[in-house]
Amino acid sequence: MEHTSAERTSGNRPVDLVAALALARSPESPGPAAPAGPAARAWPGPPLPIPDAAPGEIDLDAVLRLSLAASDGSGRLRPAPSAGALHPVDAELAVGAGCSLPPGRYGYDPLRHRVHRLGRLPGGTPPGVTAELSVTARRTVSHYGHRAWPLLLLDTGHTAAALFLAARALGTGEPEVRMDGLAENPPATVRIPPPGGTPPPRDAPTPAELRARRSAPPPLTGAPPPDALRAVLAAASRAGGGELRWCAAVGSPDPGLVEPGADGTAPRRYAAGEARPTLAAWAAGQAWIAEAGAVLLAHGCPADADAPHIRRTHLRAGFAVHLAQLAALRHGLAARPVGSWQQADLGAALGGAPGRDWIVHALALGTRHADEENTT
């Protein structure tokens, strides 16, 4: 296990993640854009279709279509949102018994919905499939420059959540997600066991819900009803795994910050005053956030966090915001993840010690229904 602050991803030179996050949180401009390079990783070998699943097997075709596959030639319309619609996350699949593909290691091409066989797996590989998620940093760095590294981790968390939800929707065994922050590469894995005869969880999504998932274009106006906001806060808090704190900025008639109530009760107010204009300034100057109906916030990850802590909290934030977005859509809300934050020291703004409580990720909410994807 790796405990240093250096990152190396898809052939890129090492990056000091601690220094990279500090720079991403600074007001420094990322400068002009650069070419993003190919929109998908060039896996070796011929592209192979994914066979139909037999009874009792994991339907990998369906899992990948509901989680990673692009639905048009541009590569933009994918189930998992991504900063700038750049989609830097690559998936390598370790396929054991009980899947619609023969056992082996495969690279997945989301643009063509094809796999490339990379080799055999060692003996003792468990049944099911494990998706190992890594990133091609250049895609995101091309647009966001030094602000890219937290976004890469957030995108990976969103992708892990998309796989997790697809598995649940299709009735596989209960998926297992590893996002402990200890591994530099891959930073996250999702293991999906074959169907085991146990019923899916009561809150499992349907395939139709996942196909309808899209980030709403701004503006996102209209305050969410109290029950909807409570559900979104609860979903984020449950999925956050205790790594972060969660709150929501709300507007009139009683503007302030609210946090999840105990045992699913109504949200509890813990700070008064209108926060959304400040959030708009902190979120790379996205002025529309000042008029959003509400803004869900994941906060924590202090300035002195080491690399495993940074990875863990950002991966978990992306994962939890993705599940919160599904909760929002189930309650008829428009929702849009917001990942780029500068000088967003929420704790200091509320009178606490500086550098201890930073905004890590957010989900803007409104009552206008989303009608297309337009990720940020």
Side-chain angles (χ1 to χ4, degrees), residues 40-52 60-65 68-71 78 89-93 95 100-101 105-118:
R41 187 168 171 181
W43 301 102
L48 304 172
I50 303 171
D52 293 336
L60 289 177
D61 176 82
V63 168
L64 294 169
R65 285 191 184 278
L68 304 183
S71 59
R78 306 196 210 190
V89 182
D90 304 315
E92 191 167 323
L93 308 176
V95 177
S100 54
L101 277 169
R105 184 169 290 277
Y106 298 84
Y108 177 62
D109 180 348
L111 302 184
R112 294 189 287 179
H113 188 55
R114 291 290 185 268
V115 293
H116 296 249
R117 186 174 173 88
L118 305 177

Side-chain angles (χ1 to χ4, degrees), residues 206-220:
T206 65
E209 283 181 311
L210 299 187
R211 282 191 289 268
R213 185 182 31 176
R214 288 290 178 260
S215 295
L220 277 67

